[in-house]
Amino acid sequence: MKHSHSHLSGEKDKVLSACGTNLKGARESEQQPHLNMTEKDDLKKESKGRGKCKEVFGYPISIFFIIVNEFCERFSYYGMRAVLVLYFKYFLRWDDDLAISIYHTFVAFCYLTPILGAIIADSWLGKFNTIIYLSIVYAIGQVAMAVSAIHDITDSDRDGSPDNLTFHIVLSMVGLLLIALGTGGIKPCVAAFGGDQFGEHQDKQRRTFFSVFYLCINGGSLLSTIITPILRAQNCGIHSKSKCYSLAFGVPAALMAVSLVVFIMGSGMYYKTKPEGNIMLKVSKCIGFAIKNRYRHKSKQYPKREHWMDWAEEKYDKLLIAQIKIALRVLVLYIPLPMFWTLFDQKGSRWTLQATTMDGNFGSIVIQPDQMQTINPILILTLVPVMDSLVFPLIKKCGLNFTPLKKMTVGMIVAALAFVCAAVIQLQIDKTLPVFPSASQSQLKFLNMGNTQITVQFQGNQFNLTGAQASEEYFTFESDQITVSIGNPSVSRDVSLTKEQRQTLLIPSAINDDWQLAYDLIYKPQEGNNEIRFINGMSTPVNVSSAAVHYDQIEPLHYSNYSEIKNGRATFTLQSGSQSCEYSKDFGFGGSYTFFIPSTLTFEPNCHESITESVDIKPNSVHMALQIPQYFLITAGEVMFSVTGLEFSYSQAPSNMKSVLQAGWLLTNSFGNFIVLIVAEIAKLPKQWTEYILFASLLVAVSIIFSIMASFYTYIDPTAIEAEFKKKIHDDEDDKKKELQKSEFKMEKRDSVSSDDGDKKHVQTSM
């Protein structure tokens, strides 16, 4: 299957398994050589039923319903998953570690449930019914997620955030559980069900179908990861406005409903196979019996056997045992592979959170943090054909033996380099992040509300502060109380500070008047928004408003609360009585600002020149484009690791063991996501860049182990081995038949001799 020009990790994996294992019509006679006549007649009838649907350009009409179904389902899944970690952090108000833990737990279950879906389809319900029932479960889960994101349900104080988080958490967890069961359960069935629609005379059309199927996977995921973050960034609500997670989940829910309806519409045109039993269950039972039988006969009185699987010969067919042995050789190589997925799937969690602290302004367009994930499918569509047609052939021409296992090793190392890049970028981000006071510290800055320069003194420090300006940086103090002296002659006062807080000391123009302390932000503004407040230095009240927010009336020598302003240009209208003027500013991402309205302000067109700005928290300055190299490296690693790994597995697996290998491959992905939880929990590193380096180091170590294991692996041709084994079994049966015929001939000869002797005796007696 070299049409893997697709990917979103794991999706090709599931589709390829379906292509390689469940399309039984074309291979049934090969895989079941010992069928009796009735079974063969049934298979002939089944084969005749394939490809009899009405055709368009040589393709069964039914497959068009399946393709539309897959596109909508992939849009639904990846659209929901794109915004999931931000939903956890900003809507449910979880910290980064908890949000990432739940995200990776969900992804892990999504890669466990396909095994369950395959067993249900092959053993009980059949592929068609499995898709229908689990799609209903899937759609209910998506609806539950959309409802859980409606803040108005529990927003009793109408402040734009839910008050009863328990309701939203429980509903979202139920939704995610249903989605994991649905998306994983139907995935091994849809592609295989599509392949079932083709007859034996439609091999070319079947191959084209799978190529289009891969394209739908990438098309649905690419569009969804572009669109749903845009929907999330909108403000919506009934009583109050907040980020529109309900719409971001609601559109995927609607697409899942469309997917189900479209699939049902084609019901009368589908060719539906009956459940025929699942090879994974049979293999598991065979392995279990071999282990149990070996344990029963562990004493020395029983002779040793060449392979531990040979202990299953008392109950199972020798051909099946031989095929399991071949599959186990490949499965052993899977043991180190989960570490790759540990790094790969963090692009949807840690890397997305990293992007929230970066500048997403790309000139004419603004990229949302969760939209950066679209780079992966775009690069996949580019890199796979480039690698297949240019890079790998060039390496071959250079005389290098770049085997599949070597490609996988290089892929792991390249993925580790991606995390080194992420660590370097994180170091740059950390330099721009504010340092907030610890539990034993307080921070203070000064704002001169007068029009003349003053001198500020405290704890041995002295500096001059220009009129209508604030000090550039915060000063950090360990004590609760400090003495501040201002002016010449100086006026000294004791200022009480609050631990773990940032404050601004508002110094009035008349030094002997009351000094005020304003509390500042002690967190980085969320979701790339900016936090803005105004301080009124005038002797009259001022109203400040913009298109997005309206501040309450600000009294003289007082300050407003902080309000969120999105990135981009914002215009504020200042009004005092009948007088008004406008002030405009371009905002970046994640900054906090205090704007001071001086007493000298006049309400004229150029009033903005009088307003002064103090940056409390600097906006994000590391550009989001710097993430592109790490996305390029992780995608290049994926092409060499995932695509090559699947092709290697299928080339080395017996014809009826491909689903077993697929189960193993999906388990590596699932275990990889669990490793994220384990490593992050055990390590508990204070700096994010050190965690990136830790994961990169672990993957390099694992790649070395894998390369050593790979060096002992001998490539085989499973088809030839199976054919040889079948021939041997056939020859053994022929030998047994010949021996049986010989023994029967000898018996007949003895009987005839005995009969002659009896006749002679009878004649003698008669005489």
Side-chain angles (χ1 to χ4, degrees), residues 514-532:
D514 291 337
W515 298 358
Q516 291 188 67
L517 278 172
Y519 283 91
D520 303 344
L521 287 184
I522 53 170
Y523 59 86
K524 183 80 171 169
Q526 303 293 310
E527 300 186 75
N529 292 320
N530 300 278
E531 297 281 354
I532 311 298

Side-chain angles (χ1 to χ4, degrees), residues 11 405 436 507 540 579 602 705:
E11 290 314 311
L405 294 178
F436 295 111
I507 305 168
T540 58
Q579 297 177 305
T602 56
I705 295 171

Side-chain angles (χ1 to χ4, degrees), residues 533-544:
R533 72 175 174 183
F534 285 84
I535 296 178
N536 182 14
M538 300 180 68
S539 58
T540 58
V542 175
N543 283 301
V544 181

Side-chain angles (χ1 to χ4, degrees), residues 1-4 11-21 191 214 642-643 646-647 650 658 662:
M1 287 276 176
K2 232 172 171 176
H3 296 288
S4 318
E11 290 314 311
K12 288 191 300 288
D13 316 356
K14 299 173 188 173
V15 172
L16 282 169
S17 74
C19 308
T21 62
Y214 298 147
S642 182
V643 177
L646 284 165
E647 291 176 355
Y650 278 78
K658 298 187 189 298
Q662 183 58 23

Side-chain angles (χ1 to χ4, degrees), residues 37 197 220 246 254 353 366 379 475 482 503:
M37 290 303 294
Q197 309 309 306
S246 56
L353 293 178
V366 173
L379 286 175
F475 297 92
I482 62 170
Q503 295 167 287

Side-chain angles (χ1 to χ4, degrees), residues 134-188:
L134 291 183
S135 290
I136 293 171
V137 171
Y138 192 168
I140 293 172
Q142 289 283 28
V143 171
M145 284 299 297
V147 173
S148 76
I150 301 175
H151 68 274
D152 288 298
I153 295 176
T154 62
D155 186 15
S156 55
D157 56 5
R158 301 186 179 180
D159 64 348
S161 60
D163 297 325
N164 183 8
L165 281 177
T166 303
F167 168 81
H168 297 276
I169 291 171
V170 170
L171 191 58
S172 62
M173 294 303 102
V174 171
L176 289 177
L177 182 63
L178 296 177
I179 291 170
L181 180 61
T183 188
I186 69 173
K187 187 44 57 187

